[in-house]
Amino acid sequence: MKKNKSRRIKYLKSFYIKDYLVIILGLALFTIGLTGFIIPNRIVTGGLSGISIIVKYVTGIEIWKTTLVVNIVLLAIAFRAVNRQYVIRTLLGIGLLSLMLSFGESYLQPYFSENPPVSDEFLSAIVGGLFCGTGLGLVFSVNGSTGGTDIIGALVTKYYRISLARILLIVDVLIVVSSYFILDSDKETLERTIYGLILLPLMWQMVEIVINGARQSVQLFIFSKHYDEIATHINTEIKRGCTVIDGLGWYSQTPQKIVIVIARRTEATSIFRLVGSIDPEAFVTKATVMGVYGKGFDKLN
């Protein structure tokens, strides 16, 4: 038992700094895209950032302030419904994002407004979307969170079997469309609203590409002499079920246990790290899965 515990500590510590560096890089890219390309062109995007942009245009309140306050309120509401690790990750994301947005609004936005790297508004929106999507993808790839609609999605998916991506998409579209009615309903605002709607699929496509392509789930086959320990840790730490089957190495004629795991694509990195910390010589294959239905995944009907 002591042996398992020491390995778990090693697994948790080995990638601690790396994950935080990835989150910082992702938030930095998101800030550049938002304050350097999207906001200077008065384009409204989705999520809490979109709400904060609308609030800024209407009241003049800085985006980072609205983001920070709303995130804290949402997290306080969701505190009892989500786990401790999610709260810690989200608090980290909220704090770093607020700091970076404050810097971006104070320095990046004025600079890019006076020296736009892209003169065309539409191209600027595209570049901003690429930056934002890549940044969010990096954050999500290490199970980070930026708060906002992520918190709402986490709450809804806890009690209802509905795709998180679907929830976020619906909320994002409503935010962008509402900007046309809240702001000046003229031709120029309509064009920027259309740009904002084009941004949404672009950003989320970039998120998908950065995380692991367009697949929602992955199937892992793990070949290891420490199959029992690996399966136990996947159950207890990743909270995923495993199936252990018998296999036979045909060349060596050696019996072999195989651990089969179906997991979300964002959980694959954690599983790889866990397996590597227990058995560096393990053999693992990973395949994308078009759809997984049942408990813990999408609803069957």
Side-chain angles (χ1 to χ4, degrees):
M1 191 70 182
K2 186 180 291 185
K3 186 177 181 181
N4 290 354
K5 185 177 180 181
S6 64
R7 280 182 171 169
R8 180 180 180 183
I9 292 173
K10 177 184 176 183
Y11 154 66
L12 291 174
K13 287 185 176 179
S14 297
F15 301 92
Y16 183 85
I17 296 177
K18 179 182 176 182
D19 287 350
Y20 281 89
L21 290 176
V22 171
I23 290 174
I24 292 172
L25 175 61
L27 292 176
L29 291 176
F30 178 80
T31 300
I32 292 172
L34 191 68
T35 60
F37 294 91
I38 295 176
I39 296 177
N41 290 287
R42 295 181 64 84
I43 298 170
V44 176
T45 184
L48 180 54
S49 299
I51 296 175
S52 301
I53 292 173
I54 295 175
V55 171
K56 179 176 182 177
Y57 291 157
V58 175
T59 66
I61 298 175
E62 293 176 302
I63 292 173
W64 73 269
K65 293 180 180 178
T66 304
T67 301
L68 180 62
V69 172
V70 175
N71 267 322
I72 291 175
V73 172
L74 287 175
L75 197 58
I77 295 173
F79 183 77
R80 292 182 178 275
V82 296
N83 59 52
R84 180 184 174 187
Q85 290 183 344
Y86 180 84
V87 173
I88 294 174
R89 289 199 311 268
T90 305
L91 282 174
L92 171 70
I94 292 171
L96 288 175
L97 180 60
S98 298
L99 287 173
M100 291 188 183
L101 286 177
S102 176
F103 174 83
E105 287 186 86
S106 300
Y107 299 100
L108 294 181
Q109 184 180 341
Y111 176 80
F112 279 99
S113 296
E114 296 179 3
N115 307 281
V118 181
S119 57
D120 184 77
E121 285 188 359
F122 180 70
L123 289 179
S124 183
I126 296 297
V127 174
L130 292 175
F131 269 98
C132 290
T134 302
L136 290 175
L138 288 173
V139 173
F140 296 156
S141 69
V142 291
N143 294 327
S145 174
T146 57
T149 50
D150 294 346
I151 301 176
I152 298 175
L155 274 173
V156 175
T157 53
K158 182 176 178 65
Y159 299 105
Y160 301 96
R161 290 188 177 183
I162 182 172
S163 169
L164 176 59
R166 190 178 304 167
I167 296 172
L168 297 180
L169 178 61
I170 293 172
V171 173
D172 287 347
V173 170
L174 290 175
I175 291 171
V176 175
V177 172
S178 67
S179 68
Y180 174 74
F181 300 98
I182 296 174
L183 304 178
D184 298 329
S185 300
D186 53 19
K187 182 179 179 181
E188 188 175 346
T189 304
L190 177 61
E191 289 180 353
R192 288 170 176 163
T193 301
I194 295 173
Y195 294 162
L197 290 173
I198 294 173
L199 267 180
L200 296 181
L202 173 64
M203 286 176 59
W204 286 111
Q205 183 60 34
M206 286 304 301
V207 170
E208 295 282 351
I209 291 173
V210 172
I211 291 177
N212 196 20
R215 310 302 183 189
Q216 187 171 5
S217 301
V218 294
Q219 178 177 266
L220 303 173
F221 282 74
I222 304 168
F223 302 79
S224 172
K225 295 179 181 179
H226 303 281
Y227 67 91
D228 52 345
E229 189 176 347
I230 290 173
T232 299
H233 278 286
I234 290 175
N235 282 164
T236 57
E237 296 181 33
I238 310 297
K239 306 299 182 184
R240 282 295 174 192
C242 304
T243 299
V244 179
I245 62 175
D246 292 316
L248 177 67
W250 194 250
Y251 179 79
S252 62
Q253 293 295 304
T254 304
Q256 175 75 60
K257 295 289 187 180
I258 305 168
V259 181
I260 303 176
V261 186
I262 302 292
R264 297 288 187 185
R265 64 181 184 276
T266 53
E267 297 169 329
T269 301
S270 297
I271 294 175
F272 274 114
R273 293 172 176 177
L274 186 150
V275 173
S277 68
I278 294 175
D279 183 7
E281 297 182 357
F283 183 80
V284 183
T285 65
K286 172 186 171 185
T288 54
V289 180
M290 290 297 294
V292 180
Y293 303 90
K295 186 176 181 180
F297 293 91
D298 294 329
K299 195 175 180 181
L300 286 169
N301 52 20

